[in-house]
Amino acid sequence: MTSSKGPVRHIVLCRFRSEVAASSRLAFFEQIRRLGEIPGIAFTNFQCGPNVSPEGYGMNFADGFMMDFASRDACFTYLAHPVHRAIGTRLIEALEGGVHGLLVFDITLDNHEKPEGKTRPVLHQHGDARSPRAAQPHD
């Protein structure tokens, strides 16, 4: 991301250790959701939960969360906050392989409206080099 303008979706996928109970996973996500109550941290559309995709391409990332920030700067404010860093440290300790059990992906969201019932064309199609199945079209 090169611009601080425009909204950002922050996506985090987690590969928890097998002994970490579902209730503990949800407790982490609730702590993260509550970061939005801290003055100076602002995000919307927080969602969390287990991977329910039937495609089988989740690479064992079985849980995750995402939220939207008004800008890249707002996302950076969240990332730099000491409470976020403390929760992140505990979260990494609960993941299989530590930091290798974490995938963070931020995308810039479009600001324009799309006509109802239509989507934009995919500009750059790419397949997953690990699997020939990934090159097949998806719904």
Side-chain angles (χ1 to χ4, degrees):
M1 295 184 320
T2 58
S3 172
S4 63
K5 297 181 186 200
V8 172
R9 176 155 298 148
H10 180 66
I11 304 165
V12 179
L13 305 178
C14 302
R15 190 181 303 132
F16 284 97
R17 294 189 329 262
S18 60
E19 66 270 16
V20 178
S23 60
S24 295
R25 297 170 190 207
L26 288 175
F28 275 115
F29 297 153
E30 177 62 14
Q31 290 173 30
I32 293 163
R33 184 196 65 76
R34 294 195 67 188
L35 285 168
E37 299 171 4
I38 296 174
I41 296 180
F43 55 81
T44 60
N45 300 325
F46 181 85
Q47 298 289 320
C48 66
N51 180 4
V52 297
S53 173
E55 293 182 293
Y57 296 117
M59 298 174 55
N60 296 321
F61 287 98
D63 299 274
F65 65 92
M66 67 180 189
M67 70 266 275
D68 296 341
F69 292 91
S71 67
R72 189 172 172 211
D73 291 340
C75 185
F76 286 161
T77 298
Y78 157 82
L79 295 173
H81 196 281
V83 176
H84 169 268
R85 295 170 89 71
I87 294 168
T89 297
R90 290 191 310 274
L91 176 65
I92 288 170
E93 291 171 356
L95 300 178
E96 183 180 308
V99 71
H100 298 290
L102 185 70
L103 176 65
V104 178
F105 196 87
D106 293 343
I107 58 173
T108 301
L109 301 176
D110 290 335
N111 286 327
H112 61 5
E113 295 285 330
K114 297 180 188 77
E116 188 173 324
K118 295 189 177 194
T119 60
R120 292 184 328 213
V122 175
L123 299 177
H124 302 286
Q125 292 185 344
H126 57 85
D128 185 337
R130 294 178 305 274
S131 170
R133 288 179 43 204
Q136 296 174 358
H138 295 283
D139 292 334

